[in-house]
Amino acid sequence: MTKVAVLGAGSWGTALANTMAKNNVVVNIWSHRADQVDEINQHHQNDHYLPGATLSENLLAVADMQVAVADADVVLMVVPTKAIRSVGTQLAEVLQNLDQQVILAHATKGLEQGTHLRISQMIEEVVPSQNYSSLAVISGPSHAEDVIKGDLTAVSIGGTDEAATAVLQEALASENFRPYTNHDLLGSELGGALKNIIALGSGMLVGLGYGVNAQAALLTRGLVEMRAVGQKMGAQPETFLGLAGIGDLIVTGMSPNSRNYRAGFAMGQGQSLNQVQEEMGMVIEGVNTVKAVYEYQQAHQLDLPITTALYQVLYEGAQIEEQIKLLMTRPLKAED
């Protein structure tokens, strides 16, 4: 029987761990917070992240990472981008102590500021290659709040090792949760990260009172920017037309369950970025990703007008309405 260690007990990590636990997969979910471990084990809840949800009794929370990882076939990292290096470094020490090799996967959607590295690249820098057989990513249109309720969900598992992605596929598959696999790890990671930028903009439009015409235009042109960055980095263009691309973009850019959408909406309603971050109390990956992609654009001469507009709003204090006007009155061109 497959054993999976999920590192990170936020909303998405908990939802994925619970999905596998309901399939009778042996799942340990690691959290550094003792109170959260007790809540999951004693009350089968994680109320801060998934209020009102009842978790599978098969799901075991653990505060000691070595206990969580021991004898695991798969380690799935589901922590914010900024925590990948610290958690990965801790995991590396654990795997070396256990003299253990695992399938290593993640479900984090972001890029590192400054380096512009994808999550798998960050992991490769801190976890020795002898401790994992392959790397994979889980991506696609999948809000944790809907997954935990059993809403119909399809995701994509990207990775170059078919046997490894098949193990994850089998662990997750159920009547309500359908995982596909693909060979484009790079594109899958980029799709999951880049759509958060566009979701921020979509929320801003709705917060300002614009309708679905504006949202559809933004999501469509945003997909063009996502594909442009992906191709520049070496991803397969068709990945952006699948679950990890347009699928994730639609759900994140249209749903109030998306924290990036909600953050953008609040800013469209007049709140500052600092106010939004304090009130949400959760990581808004798109904010950091905007900066990372803007820096990448500057270094590689890419034309990313939506990303640039959002950077101006988030980091230069520009007014949202003014940036919308600049986007809509740029020199006319053919659709690409």
Side-chain angles (χ1 to χ4, degrees):
M1 183 179 292
T2 300
K3 178 181 176 180
V4 180
V6 177
L7 307 185
S11 55
W12 190 214
T14 303
L16 287 170
N18 191 66
T19 298
M20 292 184 283
K22 287 169 64 178
N23 288 345
N24 293 317
V25 175
V26 178
V27 184
N28 289 349
I29 186 167
W30 169 81
S31 170
H32 62 87
R33 288 175 41 201
D35 61 327
Q36 191 178 36
V37 168
D38 290 341
E39 182 187 19
I40 292 172
N41 289 337
Q42 295 175 19
H43 304 290
H44 309 297
Q45 292 181 318
N46 189 355
D47 207 51
H48 176 72
Y49 291 100
L50 294 168
T54 300
L55 306 178
S56 170
E57 294 184 8
N58 292 334
L59 179 59
L60 176 67
V62 180
D64 185 328
M65 188 184 292
Q66 184 153 317
V67 173
V69 170
D71 300 321
D73 304 289
V74 178
V75 173
L76 174 60
M77 297 176 65
V78 198
V79 297
T81 302
K82 66 180 182 181
I84 287 290
R85 288 188 183 275
S86 59
V87 173
T89 299
Q90 189 175 347
L91 173 62
E93 183 178 346
V94 165
L95 290 172
Q96 288 173 325
N97 287 341
L98 293 170
D99 191 24
Q100 187 171 328
Q101 188 180 71
V102 297
I103 296 169
L104 189 49
H106 77 85
T108 299
K109 299 172 179 179
L111 297 174
E112 187 174 37
Q113 285 191 44
T115 68
H116 315 132
L117 292 178
R118 294 174 286 108
I119 304 301
S120 64
Q121 293 173 307
M122 297 167 66
I123 292 171
E124 287 172 337
E125 289 192 350
V126 295
V127 182
S129 58
Q130 65 265 26
N131 290 125
Y132 59 89
S133 59
S134 65
L135 279 170
V137 58
I138 299 171
S139 193
S142 48
H143 285 312
E145 295 86 351
D146 291 330
V147 170
I148 206 73
K149 293 186 296 187
D151 197 7
L152 301 180
T153 302
V155 300
S156 187
I157 304 170
T160 56
D161 185 328
E162 288 187 24
T165 55
V167 169
L168 280 163
Q169 188 177 37
E170 287 292 330
L172 286 163
S174 72
E175 291 181 354
N176 299 324
F177 197 95
R178 183 170 177 81
Y180 292 82
T181 62
N182 73 65
H183 301 293
D184 189 10
L185 173 66
L186 190 161
S188 298
E189 287 185 304
L190 287 177
L194 299 175
K195 53 84 185 180
N196 287 331
I197 296 174
I198 310 306
L200 280 168
S202 181
M204 289 177 188
L205 288 178
V206 178
L208 284 166
Y210 289 99
V212 292
N213 283 7
Q215 273 189 296
L218 180 76
L219 296 185
T220 305
R221 295 308 300 171
L223 183 63
V224 172
E225 293 195 15
M226 291 169 57
R227 187 183 63 199
V229 175
Q231 287 185 276
K232 188 70 174 179
M233 290 188 174
Q236 299 170 15
E238 57 268 25
T239 300
F240 295 92
L241 298 178
L243 290 165
I246 193 170
D248 209 359
L249 175 63
I250 291 170
V251 77
T252 310
M254 299 289 286
S255 172
N257 279 341
S258 160
R259 67 188 68 171
N260 292 281
Y261 175 94
R262 293 200 309 272
F265 181 87
M267 292 185 70
Q269 294 270 290
Q271 292 190 42
S272 70
L273 176 59
N274 286 338
Q275 287 176 310
V276 172
Q277 290 174 318
E278 287 177 10
E279 289 184 13
M280 290 187 68
M282 292 187 283
V283 174
I284 306 166
E285 288 283 8
V287 173
N288 294 330
T289 307
V290 165
K291 189 172 190 294
V293 175
Y294 179 80
E295 292 170 350
Y296 184 82
Q297 169 194 239
Q298 296 294 100
H300 295 86
Q301 291 79 51
L302 287 172
D303 181 27
L304 308 175
I306 297 171
T307 301
T308 299
L310 287 165
Y311 178 85
Q312 295 298 322
V313 169
L314 296 173
Y315 293 98
E316 300 293 341
Q319 295 298 307
I320 301 172
E321 295 93 333
E322 182 61 26
Q323 291 302 307
I324 292 172
K325 181 179 178 181
L326 290 173
L327 283 170
M328 293 300 293
T329 57
R330 291 183 305 126
L332 300 176
K333 55 179 286 188
E335 186 176 17
D336 51 4

